[in-house]
Amino acid sequence: MKVPFSTFNYLHSDLKEEIMKKIEEIYDSGWYIQGNEVKTFEKNFAKYIGCEYCIGVGNGLDAIKIALLSLNIGPGDEVIVPSNTFIATVLAISQVGAKPILVDPDIDTYNISPENINKSITKKTKAIIVVHLYGQSADMDDILEIAKKNNLYLIEDCAQAHGAIYKDKKVGSFGDISCFSFYPGKNLGALGDAGAVLTNNIEYANRIRALSNYGSNIKYHHIYKGVNSRLDEIQAGILNIKLKHIDEMISKRNEIANKYLLRISNKKIILPKLKKDRNHVWHIFAIRTKERNDFQNYLKEKGIETVIHYPISIAKQDAYKNDALNDLPFAELISKEELSLPLYYGMSNKDISYVIDVINKY
């Protein structure tokens, strides 16, 4: 029996007719950049998250970079960031010339530790980037209090947490600015690269929109040294369709995750831990085991595909090996033990039961 880690087949099959009709409509319109589809998606997504303003951009990395630029963060500044995130979060800091200060996570939730944030603040600290990792919100009350007390900007990286909720508010609505990726594998994914930046601050919104458009808000009048990073009409049209179904998709992912949580009983496996004041959208179902390589090979032999998020910590990446970074024991532990199980829209009960039975027999 074969169980893929993920597949788009079921979702895209359900939505194919509507998506192909939309693509044809955009094709026939002759307008492919900064048109009505982008405006509609920006309005719809801002409403869904609970923010005033949404600016579509090219991808998630650009979203974070543009957010930092809009806050005038650059050389000489320090930005606190989780040590166990996808490297894009940290690359954005480096690309604006600031210094990333890696902070170890809470080992239970894998999200950034407020206690460790406090320990890492210096006179050079300008901002905190919080990543809602795997699909569960970080401890936003504590982090907001730290940011306010120390007069720091707060940026949310929500690339893995579309629709995640913390105390009745969606992530992305807490910080000064929030950033989303719509990479195809995300819970809300385009059919290519895409991203967005959200804020409740009109000044930030105007700056972000200009920065993403060559630093211009009037054609040929450039007020910033900007970039070219714009959400295109086709991706926006597809995202508008998928946005209508995101809560249903999250519900289906929760059904699968709940079965894993209730029925996986192997004592060698550390299951994800949930906090009561927030939901989980299960972009990734991340387990841990001290026997990861052997366990992953065992699952592969049984036809079950898994993925490691992430096998090399940022501090150990060649790109950052010469940087003076903190001691990060939990990040290193997670990089050695984490394994992500199959979880996707359309996953059958037969496949779910097979995965659970195989794991329990290990």
Side-chain angles (χ1 to χ4, degrees), residues 111-168:
N111 275 317
I112 192 168
S113 161
E115 181 183 355
N116 290 336
I117 291 175
N118 259 326
K119 294 176 182 177
S120 303
I121 295 171
T122 72
K123 292 181 180 179
K124 294 182 179 180
T125 307
K126 192 80 170 282
I128 302 166
I129 297 181
V130 57
V131 179
H132 305 293
L133 199 68
Y134 302 152
Q136 182 174 209
S137 171
D139 294 316
M140 292 311 297
D141 282 350
D142 291 343
I143 295 169
L144 284 163
E145 184 178 343
I146 292 168
K148 184 177 180 180
K149 180 180 177 181
N150 293 279
N151 196 29
L152 302 175
Y153 293 117
L154 179 59
I155 298 171
E156 293 180 77
D157 179 345
C158 307
Q160 298 185 8
H162 313 71
I165 295 170
Y166 177 86
K167 294 186 177 179
D168 299 323

Side-chain angles (χ1 to χ4, degrees), residues 121-222:
I121 295 171
T122 72
K123 292 181 180 179
K124 294 182 179 180
T125 307
K126 192 80 170 282
I128 302 166
I129 297 181
V130 57
V131 179
H132 305 293
L133 199 68
Y134 302 152
Q136 182 174 209
S137 171
D139 294 316
M140 292 311 297
D141 282 350
D142 291 343
I143 295 169
L144 284 163
E145 184 178 343
I146 292 168
K148 184 177 180 180
K149 180 180 177 181
N150 293 279
N151 196 29
L152 302 175
Y153 293 117
L154 179 59
I155 298 171
E156 293 180 77
D157 179 345
C158 307
Q160 298 185 8
H162 313 71
I165 295 170
Y166 177 86
K167 294 186 177 179
D168 299 323
K169 284 185 64 178
K170 286 193 174 75
V171 301
S173 64
F174 292 92
D176 295 289
I177 297 176
S178 62
C179 305
F180 287 81
S181 166
F182 305 118
Y183 179 78
K186 305 299 184 183
N187 287 13
L188 179 62
L191 297 188
D193 277 320
V197 188
L198 282 75
T199 183
N200 286 312
N201 185 305
I202 183 63
E203 292 182 14
Y204 298 161
N206 289 338
R207 208 175 299 157
I208 290 161
R209 192 172 296 283
L211 282 164
S212 67
N213 186 41
Y214 301 101
S216 171
N217 52 17
I218 301 173
K219 194 169 184 177
Y220 303 132
H221 181 173
H222 303 274

